């Protein structure tokens, strides 16, 4: 099998006395979609944030395409990288937040071109051409000059997806991308994500949308109390869960 | 008749045949009339009492020495605000930095310069020349490359500008810091997740959003400083307040000269308030769904509506 695009090994993370991640292992191969489900407080967001080093982990490591995100290895030691280097490596990872976090004072186009220009040093013209292409992809060609506040929640989240894709990342992480949306707006965001999945984008998605997991995921991961309890193809984890905690969770959300 | 019946009847008529009559507010008219009478009385008292000495006010309002003083006041304000906010921004960034020594140094600065009265600080700077006769530039604690007489370096004007700016910086630091704290932390997180360089995160993402709360507070400070410059009169510098004192000591027209100064302070703060309005609009971009119209646009809007209404009225009258 190919080397994993995302390789999470033995990750531990505590907030003070509270151990939030207790030895998490996760491999995602290129082009795969992994959906993480689990009860509130089980550490799903913390895991995603550890993958792009928004959180520092206490033990274990995370590698993207064979490269540690926050560290440099020499021998058997990991040296923490300087912020500049961490920021550079982060451009390989797209992140879509539950609450969008678009930049409200910048237009939609500027939101999308900001990181390619300032983080990757792309020429403005090239970045704008890319933005035009990505906004068309998420169905918002006519909104390039609007400000985020002038858009609906679903449209804002689609802009956020275009913004994450503008870095041409190796993997895109989604943290409950539809949880802040009105029910009738969820569909348009999920459609964009399904199209992305079909186009071979490597994705890790934390979501409560079981239907999306069933349709799109290559692997479903069930997390509870800081550990991965069960993982496998959706048919297995969602329809014939082996672990009683998975069954208990699914009986509540389905 | 029950309420639903009324609604049904209304709906039965075609929507076009219903006319909206605006509610009347007699209370507002009465309050308006009372204020108008009070205003007229005040204006009358100002104009008819010869003690106000309006001819003298007119003669000195644009007197060259007064105009020079106004200019000097503007210069002092500008220097104080620009230098103050530059240094204040640096202090705010130090305060928010992850380096403990920088943060505490900035805290100490703000503590010191907010605690000592401005007038005292100004006198300190003014007398600095007596404290340190020479100021040397060179390696810290090591050899000096060159030195200058502090008298030459810090004249009274420099001392005044420096004093105002250093004092202002302490307040500016807190205003800027407050502005940064008012920005949703998610913004910084999103910028970091996108790999945007640190300086760019601060100046492109955080600062423009912080400006929303910085500008009104800064406007207050600038207007405060316009009038605050009057304390440098103790250094015998020819700013507006000092200058009118000089003049009324000569001609004895105290009230008239104070009026001259008051009018100029009014003019300056009016200009600044208007400027502030437009700066706020500039930084309000994208933060409201639609920007409110400027006063000018509003006046134009009212005029066009009136004109349109006048054009329509005869037509409607003709139909009835
Ligand atoms: N900065 C923090 N400081 C202290 N505790 C934290 C912090 N962030 C998260 N936690 C705790 O860590 C645990 C896991 O949080 P996390 O956000 O990863 O859960 P989650 O699985 O994403 O939950 P949800 O489905 O509600 O989003 C929770 O108990 C939470 O209270
Ligand atoms: Mg979460």
């Amino acid at each position: 099998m190919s080397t994993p695009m995302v390789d999470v090994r033995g990750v531990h993370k505590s907030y003070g006395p509270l151990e939030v991640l207790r030895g998490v292992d996760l491999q995602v191969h290129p082009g795969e979609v992994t959906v993480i489900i689990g009860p509130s407080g089980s550490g799903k967001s913390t895991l995603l944030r550890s993958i792009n080093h928004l959180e520092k982990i206490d033990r274990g490591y995370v590698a993207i395409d064979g490269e540690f995100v926050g560290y440099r290895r020499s021998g058997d030691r990991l040296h923490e990288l300087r912020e500049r280097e961490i920021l550079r490596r982060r451009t390989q990872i797209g992140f879509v937040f539950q609450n969008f976090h678009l930049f409200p004072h910048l237009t939609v186009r500027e939101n999308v071109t900001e990181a390619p220009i300032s983080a990757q040093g792309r020429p403005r013209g090239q970045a704008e051409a890319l933005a035009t292409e990505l906004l068309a992809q998420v169905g918002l060609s006519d909104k390039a000059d609007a400000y985020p506040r002038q858009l609906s929640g679903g449209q804002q989240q689609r802009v956020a997806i275009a913004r994450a894709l503008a870095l041409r990342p190796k993997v895109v992480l989604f943290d409950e991308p539809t949880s802040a949306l009105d029910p009738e707006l969820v569909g348009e965001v999920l459609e964009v994500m399904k199209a992305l999945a079909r186009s071979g984008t490597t994705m890790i998605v934390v979501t409560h949308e079981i239907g999306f997991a069933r349709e799109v995921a290559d692997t479903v991961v069930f997390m509870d109390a800081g550990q991965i309890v069960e993982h496998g193809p959706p048919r297995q984890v969602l329809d014939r869960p082996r672990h009683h905690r998975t069954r208990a969770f699914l009986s509540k959300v389905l | 008749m029950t309420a639903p019946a009324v609604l049904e009847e209304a709906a039965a008529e075609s929507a076009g045949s219903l006319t909206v009559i605006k509610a009347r507010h007699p209370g507002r008219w009465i309050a308006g009339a009372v204020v108008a009478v009070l205003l007229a009385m005040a204006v009358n008292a100002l104009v008819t009492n010869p003690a106000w000495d309006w001819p003298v006010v007119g003669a000195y309002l644009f007197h060259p020495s007064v105009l020079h003083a106004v200019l000097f006041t503007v210069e002092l304000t500008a220097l104080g605000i620009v230098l103050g906010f530059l240094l204040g921004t640096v202090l705010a960034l130090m305060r928010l930095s992850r380096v403990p020594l920088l943060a505490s140094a900035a805290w100490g600065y703000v503590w010191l310069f907010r605690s000592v009265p401005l007038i005292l600080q100004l006198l300190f700077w003014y007398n600095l020349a007596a404290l340190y006769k020479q100021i040397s530039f060179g390696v810290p604690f090591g050899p000096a490359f060159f030195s200058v007489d502090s008298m030459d370096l810090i004249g009274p004007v420099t001392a005044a500008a420096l004093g105002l700016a250093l004092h202002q910086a302490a307040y500016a630091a807190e205003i800027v810091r407050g502005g940064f704290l008012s920005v949703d932390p998610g913004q910084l997180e999103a910028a970091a997740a996108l790999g945007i360089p640190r300086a760019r995160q601060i100046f492109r993402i955080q600062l423009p959003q912080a400006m929303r709360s910085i500008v009104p507070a800064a406007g207050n400070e600038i207007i405060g400083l316009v009038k605050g410059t009057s304390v440098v009169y103790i250094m015998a510098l020819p700013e507006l307040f000092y200058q009118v004192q000089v003049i009324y000591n000569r001609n004895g027209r105290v009230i008239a000269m104070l009026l001259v100064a008051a009018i100029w302070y009014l003019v300056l703060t009016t200009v600044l308030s208007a400027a502030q309005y437009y700066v706020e609009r500039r930084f309000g971009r994208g933060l409201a769904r639609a920007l409110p119209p400027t006063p000018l646009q509003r006046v134009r809007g009212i005029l066009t509506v009136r004109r349109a209404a006048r054009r329509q009225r005869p037509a409607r009258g003709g139909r009835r």
Side-chain angles (χ1 to χ4, degrees), chain A residues 15-16 18-21 38-47 49 55 98 175-176 206 208 223:
Chain A
Y15 292 111
L18 178 69
E19 204 174 10
V20 178
L21 296 180
S40 181
S42 56
K44 307 181 297 292
S45 297
T46 309
L47 175 60
R49 295 163 56 83
E55 303 287 350
Q98 181 174 350
D175 191 2
E176 303 199 28
V206 171
H208 295 297
M223 266 185 92

Side-chain angles (χ1 to χ4, degrees), chain B residues 85-299:
Chain B
F85 267 86
L86 281 179
L87 179 55
T89 306
V90 172
L91 286 167
L93 292 176
M94 284 169 66
R95 195 65 208 280
L96 295 169
S97 87
R98 288 164 221 162
V99 186
L101 190 58
L102 289 186
S104 20
W107 182 88
Y109 180 97
V110 172
W111 167 76
L112 184 63
F113 281 81
R114 279 203 310 195
S115 306
V116 180
L118 176 57
I119 200 160
L120 236 150
Q121 291 182 36
L122 287 171
L123 289 173
F124 261 120
W125 288 111
Y126 193 50
N127 293 301
L128 188 72
L131 245 55
Y132 296 93
K133 297 248 180 306
Q134 296 258 306
I135 295 176
S136 305
F137 297 85
V139 182
F141 302 109
F145 299 137
F146 65 94
S147 1
V148 288
D149 255 17
S150 46
M151 269 300 194
D152 300 337
L153 197 67
I154 305 183
V157 177
T158 319
L162 202 64
L164 290 173
L166 292 177
H167 182 255
Q168 201 56 51
Y171 288 89
E174 287 298 281
I175 289 173
V176 173
R177 189 171 72 92
F180 274 101
L181 292 181
S182 75
V183 179
D184 173 13
Q187 290 291 308
L188 211 51
E189 202 156 74
L194 286 164
I196 295 170
R198 185 81 186 113
R200 183 91 175 166
Q201 290 178 20
I202 293 172
F203 291 105
R204 170 83 167 164
I205 305 299
Q206 276 190 301
L207 190 58
Q209 299 185 60
M211 287 307 268
R212 276 258 295 182
S213 69
I214 292 176
V215 171
N220 246 353
E221 287 297 310
I222 298 175
I223 286 170
L225 189 60
V226 169
K227 298 170 294 172
T229 52
S230 59
V231 306
V232 311
Y233 85 95
I234 53 152
M235 300 159 90
L237 287 174
E239 50 72 47
L240 188 51
F241 183 51
Y242 181 81
Q243 193 60 39
V244 301
Q245 284 180 311
V246 168
I247 298 174
Y248 70 59
N249 282 332
R250 219 167 43 216
N251 68 7
R253 305 312 245 298
V254 178
I255 297 293
M257 291 319 296
L258 289 180
L259 260 180
V260 168
I263 289 170
W264 274 114
Y265 283 122
L266 266 174
V267 169
L268 294 181
T269 53
T270 306
V271 170
L272 287 170
S273 303
Q276 179 185 342
Y277 180 84
Y278 285 94
V279 172
E280 271 176 32
R281 262 178 74 83
R282 164 71 179 67
F283 286 106
R285 259 189 340 188
L287 295 174
R289 280 212 156 193
L291 282 179
T294 64
L296 246 150
Q297 288 170 343
R298 227 171 272 166
V299 169

Side-chain angles (χ1 to χ4, degrees), chain A residues 233-249:
Chain A
R235 296 201 146 277
Q236 180 205 312
V237 176
L238 297 175
D239 299 334
R240 288 183 299 280
R242 268 179 246 157
H243 205 285
H244 70 273
R245 280 194 282 178
T246 320
R247 275 197 295 275
F249 173 75

Side-chain angles (χ1 to χ4, degrees), chain A residues 97-132:
Chain A
F97 296 88
Q98 181 174 350
N99 294 313
F100 331 138
H101 292 327
L102 291 177
F103 305 130
H105 58 303
L106 303 182
T107 62
V108 164
R109 181 185 287 111
E110 288 167 338
N111 263 280
V112 178
T113 57
E114 174 59 34
I117 293 172
S118 71
Q120 292 179 319
R122 283 183 196 244
R124 176 171 298 277
Q126 197 188 327
E128 287 187 348
L130 178 59
T132 306

Side-chain angles (χ1 to χ4, degrees), chain B residues 45-71:
Chain B
L46 271 174
V47 172
T48 54
N49 188 339
W52 289 104
D53 235 354
W54 287 105
V56 178
V57 172
Y60 277 96
L61 195 54
F62 297 105
H63 193 277
S65 66
V66 171
L67 290 183
H68 271 126
V70 169
L71 198 66

